[in-house]
Amino acid sequence: MHPPSSHTGPNALAAAKGQASAATGPGIPKVGPQTSSTAPAAAHKAPRSWLQLNTPMADWQGRRVWLVGASTGIGLACAQALRAAGAQVIVSARNAQGVQDWAAQDSGVQWRALDVGDHAAVQATARALLAEGPLDMVIYAAGYYKAQRATALDLEELLQHDKVNYQGALQIIHAVLPGMLARQSGHISLLSSVAGWRGLPNGLAYGPTKAALTHLAETLYMDLQDQGIGVSVVNPGFVATPLTAQNQFTMPALISPEQAASAMLEGWARGQFDIHFPKRFTLWLKLLRLLPYRLYFPLVRKFTGL
Ligand SMILES: NC(=O)c1ccc[n+]([C@@H]2O[C@H](COP(=O)([O-])OP(=O)(O)OC[C@H]3O[C@@H](n4cnc5c(N)ncnc54)[C@H](OP(=O)(O)O)[C@@H]3O)[C@@H](O)[C@H]2O)c1
């Protein structure tokens, strides 16, 4: 892999793109050299420009990354891209979906079955992982989505969205943050969604949980930036995964999980806080956020027909 000095500025981006595209889709290839050491904590405190809200992370060699909610979709593609870049990845979710086979082939991959709704299991899994060594990054990608409108309100479904999309993240943060604070190092990245930027039809259950996650990331960032701990929030547009396979409408600017993973690695390599993509879609939504409601509501109705 590249010498450390090449992993800042444009080289970092080139490196990140190269690494992400090295990973192939589901089918879990064996990738990269086998490394077992964990990068020293100090490496994360490299100086950064004022544009970079986080310390850039492009050198994944020897870094230990726990991805929660990564047996499929964006989380899995991200685990593959990080592994291709030399990171040691721990993948958690309820169902292995082949990750166990991958772990059996590659000592740099661990499978840890976990339901984020089981608080004791979250604590126990985090304790077991931290007993093996520090975690350099924790990515919360677990997500649940069912379209819902207030005209057919389903409280149980509303609460299930909150349990997986928001409370699960709180459980994971609660389990890993003390270790990061003790080391004054680490990074927490939360997979939120542009659906959390402003209310959207069918998003009654999903949207508010993502708005909460983005708000949580903002507050975490402010509280932790002086503790050597990075925080980022990932806001994808539409990505072709099992979660969006239920959508009956044409999804604008739809991208693949691999493209999403590539954008995430690029965002971390740039030291970004708000990693949103694809820009040809998300920048319009950023604009929509600025509109007064008397313009926003009719425009959304016009665009969605809902
Ligand atoms: N796809 C998109 O267009 C899009 C857009 C914006 C944001 N996102 C967000 O990106 C993240 C990943 O979504 P995705 O599209 O990649 O969907 P996905 O393929 O369905 O992935 C969801 C992951 O979460 C895991 N999960 C669900 N419930 C869980 C639980 N209780 N405990 C532990 N793991 C759980 C799933 O595994 P198990 O079911 O086996 O547990 C799976 O690995 C989600 O937070 C989603 O909201 C997706």
Side-chain angles (χ1 to χ4, degrees):
M1 295 299 284
H2 311 280
S5 63
S6 69
H7 291 296
T8 55
N11 297 341
L13 296 179
K17 283 188 187 144
Q19 289 146 357
S21 57
T24 55
I28 318 185
K30 200 169 172 59
V31 289
Q34 311 306 312
T35 58
S36 58
S37 64
T38 304
H44 300 155
K45 295 198 175 77
R48 59 178 195 252
S49 83
W50 69 276
L51 271 175
Q52 294 158 332
L53 292 179
N54 285 306
T55 300
M57 295 179 80
D59 179 4
W60 294 99
Q61 206 42 245
R63 304 241 190 166
R64 219 157 154 255
V65 182
W66 186 18
L67 300 101
V68 180
S71 58
T72 59
I74 301 170
L76 177 61
C78 192
Q80 291 176 323
L82 289 168
R83 182 69 195 121
Q88 304 207 1
V89 295
I90 303 118
V91 174
S92 286
R94 293 165 302 174
N95 312 296
Q97 309 266 359
V99 177
Q100 247 167 340
D101 301 340
W102 183 25
Q105 295 164 26
D106 185 339
S107 61
V109 179
Q110 252 193 78
W111 162 249
R112 292 269 182 170
L114 180 64
D115 180 342
V116 294
D118 180 341
H119 307 159
V122 169
Q123 285 295 328
T125 305
R127 250 196 321 276
L129 290 176
L130 291 168
E132 295 167 0
L135 292 166
D136 297 296
M137 182 182 253
V138 175
I139 301 168
Y140 190 77
Y144 178 72
Y145 165 65
K146 287 275 179 296
Q148 189 176 140
R149 305 205 67 176
T151 45
L153 192 139
D154 178 335
L155 181 59
E156 204 181 318
E157 274 292 335
L158 291 176
L159 297 176
Q160 180 59 18
H161 281 76
D162 185 53
K163 188 175 171 190
V164 177
N165 297 350
Y166 185 64
Q167 292 180 33
L170 297 180
Q171 292 292 338
I172 294 290
I173 293 165
H174 175 251
V176 301
L177 192 51
M180 290 184 177
L181 283 167
R183 287 181 73 230
Q184 294 281 289
S185 180
H187 189 112
I188 294 170
S189 196
L190 304 178
L191 245 99
S192 187
S193 170
V194 295
W197 285 350
R198 243 182 166 174
L200 290 168
N202 286 331
L204 187 72
Y206 184 73
T209 65
K210 293 300 185 178
L213 209 57
T214 297
H215 192 101
L216 176 69
E218 292 168 354
T219 313
L220 283 172
Y221 177 85
M222 285 189 278
D223 290 353
L224 299 174
Q225 62 168 318
D226 298 334
Q227 308 292 322
I229 300 169
V231 176
S232 54
V233 61
V234 180
N235 285 302
F238 289 107
V239 186
T241 70
L243 187 128
T244 50
Q246 63 187 291
N247 290 342
Q248 303 298 320
F249 56 88
T250 308
M251 293 175 272
L254 184 68
I255 62 172
S256 69
E258 290 71 24
Q259 289 170 307
S262 172
M264 290 160 71
L265 268 75
E266 202 174 320
W268 293 319
R270 288 172 185 270
Q272 290 175 337
F273 167 74
D274 177 11
I275 302 170
H276 60 93
F277 51 82
K279 294 283 191 294
R280 65 185 187 279
F281 181 62
T282 55
L283 288 175
W284 284 109
L285 293 179
K286 287 263 183 194
L287 275 181
L288 276 179
R289 276 180 97 178
L290 305 173
L291 292 180
Y293 286 120
R294 71 182 177 287
L295 290 179
Y296 174 75
F297 291 140
L299 259 178
V300 168
R301 173 151 289 183
K302 182 172 176 322
F303 282 130
T304 63
L306 295 169

